[in-house]
Each structure stands twice: as C-alpha cells, then as structure tokens.
Amino acid sequence: MKTFLLVNENGSDNIGDHAINEGLKALLSELGCSYSSEPYSTTHVDLSVESRNNNNQGSASLMSRLRKSLLQFKPLYLLMWLLKHKGRIKQCCEVKYDGIIIGGGQLILSGAAFPPALYAWSHYAKKSGTPLYLLGVGCGEHFHKSESWLVRRALKLSNRICVRENESITKLSTYFNAKAEFCPDLAFGLQPLKSSAKRSGLMVGMTDYAVFQRYRHEVKAPTINNYQEYLTAWYDKVMSVHVSGEPIVLASTTLTDAQCNRDLYQLLLNSPASNDVRLIDGVLPLDKYRQELSQVRSVFSGRMHSLILGKIEGATIEPWIISKKIENFLGLYAHKDPAVLKQQLQVIASEIGA
C-alpha cells in the first residue's frame, strides 16, 4: 500500500479548498492508498467568525510599519518566507512517502507565499528522493522576476504536472517552458451524496466585493461603482431567478463572503421573498454544505467550487461570471457528467498510485 503526502490549502476557511483535499483523498482511498495532509503555504488559519470580523486592529507600531515596508521588496519577502517555513517543510519531506502530491487549486500564482512555497516543497522533496506530482492546479499570470525563477525551478523538479484548465497548459509553457497535461478539478473526485427526492429552492452564495473588483477586468462584468451597487445587483439577480414559495438559502464558502450574505439577507427580509429566505451564518463544514446542496433545485454563485459542488450534488447551476476562472469552468465542466470527470481523475490517480 502506497502512502502519499497531500499538500494544499486544506487549512483555509474556503470550502473549495476542503473540497479539493477531500476529493483527492477519495481518489486515493479507492485505490487503497493511505495519506496525510499538510498546508501548502500556511501553518494555521483562524476560522472564527469573530476574529475575521474584528476590525479594531489598533494602530500599527513603528516597527511593524517598517517591516511591512521592507517586505514590499519582493525578493526580500520571498527570502524571509523561505527562512521562516523551510524547517517545517523540510521536516515533512524527510518522512518516508511514496509521493508528494501538491494540488489542487490556483497554487501557481504570483503574490503572497505561493511561489516560495512551491519551490520549498519541490526542493525538499527532491532532496529526500520523493517523487513530486502537481495535480489539478491552476496557473496565474504577471509573475515577478524572482517569483518566476522559483516557479521555473520547482516545475523542473516535478515528476508530473496536471492542470485543471487548458489555459494553464499554455501559461506554463509560455512563462516557464514547462510541459503539463489536463485533468479535471480534484473536487470532482468526491462521490455525490444521496439527494432529496423532491428538490426545491435556490442556494445563493454572494461573492466578496473585493474578489469582484480584483477579477472584473478579466470578463465583461457589469459596471458597478461601489459595494451598495454590487449588493443591489445581487439582490436583483436573486429575485429574478427565485420561484415564489420556494426557499432561498444563503450559504457562504468563505468568511469574507459570509459578511456579504448577511447584508443580502437584510435586503431580502424587506422583499416579497421575505418568508422564503434563510441565512446560514458563517461557513458550514464541507459535508453539511453538500447536504444543503443536495436538497435545493439550483445554486447561484460566483465561486467556482460552489458551482462544482452543486453540479456534483445534482443541482442546476446558475453562475455569475465575475472572473475568467468561472468562464473557464463553464467551458470545461458545465455540460459534462461529473461521473465522467471523476473517471478521468481515477485514471491519473491509478497511474500515480499503482
């Protein structure tokens, strides 16, 4: 029986990251493989709603402001991250595994800690003689020169690279001269739950306004000038697809989305649909979120994994295309049977786990 180390953002507050990790676990379990999981770029994420909503941070000290200014120099930030985290990553890689699997998610990405994390995991995997696989990952763009060096080196040390959309194949070839192949998003490795015999209602996952602002330039997004207009646009969309008498379930996939859903809930309480609306505050565990999806008729969201999980659980998907990622999702997955996508993943998993 082979044993693998799974490395992804499994410690985040994002349901999508947990769906990826659990989908990969399901694929390996079906092959009789064992595994353990480690976070890709972080050591701990505070999942409490209170801590995320507490804006009373206090004024930053002179030293903290100075440190922040220094770390804006990209090479210094990358070096500091490596020095801080290399001990943890080295220790993980020194354990005897048959392979280390990094994936999935948008992990080949500029900014934050993703480039040095990818380099560190690949470097210490190579030193320990452990095969390294990148599965179901996505590639961003606009990399800093120092980031490009780290990513290029990491990709050269990888035994196999499978990406979740065709655009990432092109990007990896263009930016890093790396060869990759396609595989579906790892969340499709999940087995669907038993759905309700009589499905009814709409699940709504309003997406954080900051996410909309960050990616709106990628697609033909509507002109929205502020958060209030954004909130109103979501309200209008929900009301346009709501069937009177059927429930509207507001459920979030991240804690930042949860605050938006609270605001949307207040608007809907003063609407003709007030008697139909229900707010699930905060972020549900993955299994409970999936149970909610298995009961509703459709899901309306701007988050890719909310749509993927909805598709797996048999709900009709109603996407708001606020980013290229959602656009790519529609092109690749919207009209495909989740069972077929899982079969594609099983082929790749069996080749690695054999």
Side-chain angles (χ1 to χ4, degrees):
M1 179 176 68
K2 286 191 173 183
T3 303
F4 292 90
L5 176 63
L6 314 184
V7 180
N8 48 53
E9 293 295 276
N10 58 79
S12 80
D13 73 318
N14 192 322
I15 282 179
D17 292 329
H18 294 275
I20 286 167
N21 195 42
E22 293 304 315
L24 180 54
K25 287 180 178 179
L27 292 167
L28 293 174
S29 295
E30 290 166 4
L31 295 171
C33 299
S34 61
Y35 47 76
S36 59
S37 297
E38 283 291 331
Y40 178 62
S41 66
T42 58
T43 54
H44 173 74
V45 174
D46 192 340
L47 298 180
S48 67
V49 176
E50 292 79 7
S51 68
R52 289 299 183 93
N53 291 337
N54 182 11
N55 294 319
N56 185 21
Q57 300 287 337
S59 59
S61 67
L62 176 61
M63 287 300 294
S64 65
R65 291 200 300 269
L66 178 61
R67 181 177 180 274
K68 184 176 181 180
S69 297
L70 287 173
L71 293 181
Q72 286 178 349
F73 178 55
K74 183 66 70 173
L76 178 60
Y77 170 81
L78 299 175
L79 176 61
M80 293 293 289
W81 192 94
L82 285 168
L83 291 174
K84 180 178 180 180
H85 294 274
K86 69 174 186 177
R88 173 182 69 90
I89 295 173
K90 180 182 179 182
Q91 187 177 36
C92 290
C93 292
E94 286 175 344
V95 178
K96 183 62 178 176
Y97 291 104
D98 294 290
I100 296 175
I101 300 175
I102 295 179
Q106 196 81 345
L107 299 184
I108 307 175
L109 194 65
S110 175
F114 285 5
L118 182 62
Y119 172 79
W121 283 108
S122 63
H123 174 74
Y124 288 113
K126 180 68 174 180
K127 288 194 71 173
S128 68
T130 307
L132 180 74
Y133 308 98
L134 273 63
L135 295 187
V137 296
C139 179
E141 49 191 44
H142 305 306
F143 291 85
H144 186 275
K145 185 176 180 180
S146 55
E147 293 177 324
S148 295
W149 186 90
L150 291 172
V151 174
R152 186 177 292 108
R153 179 61 180 163
L155 295 175
K156 286 182 179 179
L157 297 176
S158 303
N159 294 71
R160 187 169 184 177
I161 305 170
C162 300
V163 293
R164 65 185 185 182
E165 73 273 317
N166 294 322
E167 286 77 5
S168 287
I169 296 177
T170 303
K171 289 177 183 178
L172 290 180
S173 176
T174 302
Y175 301 157
F176 308 112
N177 194 31
K179 292 184 178 179
E181 58 190 295
F182 170 76
C183 79
D185 189 281
L186 295 181
F188 284 110
L190 292 168
Q191 183 69 21
L193 304 176
K194 184 178 181 180
S195 62
S196 172
K198 186 178 181 182
R199 308 178 74 114
S200 176
L202 171 70
M203 179 182 281
V204 178
M206 184 175 174
T207 309
D208 182 21
Y209 181 53
V211 173
F212 172 78
Q213 288 180 304
R214 188 181 310 138
Y215 297 112
R216 61 187 299 177
H217 69 280
E218 297 179 350
V219 294
K220 293 180 179 179
T223 301
I224 293 176
N225 299 310
N226 53 56
Y227 177 67
Q228 191 57 48
E229 289 185 10
Y230 183 64
L231 184 60
T232 301
W234 272 88
Y235 170 85
D236 291 341
K237 286 177 179 287
V238 170
M239 294 303 294
S240 69
V241 297
H242 171 55
V243 176
S244 180
E246 290 195 4
I248 300 173
V249 182
L250 302 183
S252 306
T253 60
T254 72
L255 288 173
T256 52
D257 288 0
Q259 182 56 57
C260 295
N261 265 329
R262 292 186 196 104
D263 295 337
L264 180 58
Y265 177 65
Q266 293 302 317
L267 278 185
L268 290 169
L269 284 179
N270 296 308
S271 76
S274 60
N275 292 330
D276 299 329
V277 66
R278 173 167 64 96
L279 172 67
I280 299 174
D281 203 11
V283 178
L284 288 173
L286 175 62
D287 57 344
K288 292 184 178 179
Y289 183 80
R290 294 178 64 196
Q291 288 172 7
E292 292 285 346
L293 281 172
S294 69
Q295 307 296 313
V296 298
R297 178 175 46 82
S298 59
V299 54
F300 173 50
S301 177
R303 291 282 190 181
M304 186 176 79
H305 281 96
S306 180
L307 299 168
I308 287 177
L309 291 170
K311 188 171 178 62
I312 290 171
E313 301 306 335
T316 301
I317 57 171
E318 300 278 354
W320 188 1
I321 305 174
I322 63 171
S323 67
K324 196 70 177 177
K325 186 161 61 174
I326 302 299
E327 194 171 76
N328 290 337
F329 159 78
L330 291 175
L332 282 170
Y333 304 132
H335 302 293
K336 292 184 179 178
D337 186 340
V340 173
L341 294 169
K342 179 169 183 175
Q343 288 173 357
Q344 293 176 357
L345 286 170
Q346 286 172 322
V347 171
I348 295 172
S350 63
E351 291 171 351
I352 292 173

